[in-house]
Amino acid sequence: MGTQCGCNHSCSTEAKTPHGRYRLILWLALLINAAMFGVEMLFGVWAQSASLLADSLDFFGDAANYGISLWVLGMGLAIRAKASLLKAATMAVFGVWVLGRTGWGLWTGNLPDAVTMGSVALLALAANAAVAAMLYVYREGDSNMRSVWICSRNDAIGNVAVVLAAVGVFGTSSGLPDLMVAGVMATLALSGAWQMWGYAQQDLHRAAAV
């Protein structure tokens, strides 16, 4: 059975046991992230917040990632690893975009609405914390499961940073805290992409060795 599914002897347990519950969790995560993408994009534009816009695109990327994870669930290890490579590339593009948006914010000097930033960030934190809690048990799975966990973990950390940025904007009447957090979120995305790429390469080597 290990040969049929394209990985080692643990594949039958890894690929079949969590599918029912894991698939449901991925669907819930997809719906939550898609909804929060719309909310943060709308209020990010309205509040002129770089960190909220960055987080909204992160929600969009995660929704797409969960969709990919649902698509490859149950497929061979090599296919799941290649899906992780695609997700890593998506996260890297997101990180580069946010860095560019941060630079633009420094150039224009816009002052975001701190109250809107904080309120939406708290809502986003609750959403991401719920998703991360649901996915916690699968954090040590294959590269695809790990990539989903990394995304959720980074999102929750990013939401806390946006809340702190809102406090900073409110206290200083400066957009610099917002831009600093956007830069941190870009760094998290690039770091997560690097980790994900490494896990996927390991899985590809495992699949090739069978």
Side-chain angles (χ1 to χ4, degrees), residues 118-148:
S119 300
V120 177
L122 286 172
L123 177 61
L125 175 59
N128 276 320
V131 172
M134 289 188 294
L135 291 168
Y136 182 78
V137 69
Y138 301 108
R139 70 193 184 281
E140 298 296 338
D142 61 31
S143 63
N144 194 56
M145 289 181 175
R146 290 186 183 191
S147 70
V148 171

Side-chain angles (χ1 to χ4, degrees), residues 27-112:
W27 272 112
L28 290 173
L30 190 158
L31 294 173
I32 290 171
N33 278 268
M36 286 307 304
F37 160 68
V39 170
E40 283 204 317
M41 178 61 71
L42 176 64
F43 284 100
V45 171
W46 186 81
Q48 299 185 46
S49 169
S51 58
L52 278 183
L53 287 174
D55 207 32
S56 73
L57 289 184
D58 199 16
F59 272 116
F60 175 78
D62 286 350
N65 286 340
Y66 295 134
I68 292 173
S69 295
L70 282 164
W71 176 54
V72 302
L73 197 62
M75 294 185 180
L77 183 61
I79 295 177
R80 285 180 279 140
K82 289 176 182 178
S84 294
L85 291 177
L86 177 60
K87 288 189 284 187
T90 302
M91 288 180 66
V93 169
F94 160 74
V96 171
W97 183 89
V98 173
L99 287 177
R101 180 63 181 78
T102 301
W104 175 254
L106 285 171
W107 177 262
T108 58
N110 289 330
L111 180 64

Side-chain angles (χ1 to χ4, degrees), residues 85 132 158 188 197 204:
L85 291 177
L188 280 173
W197 190 275
L204 284 174

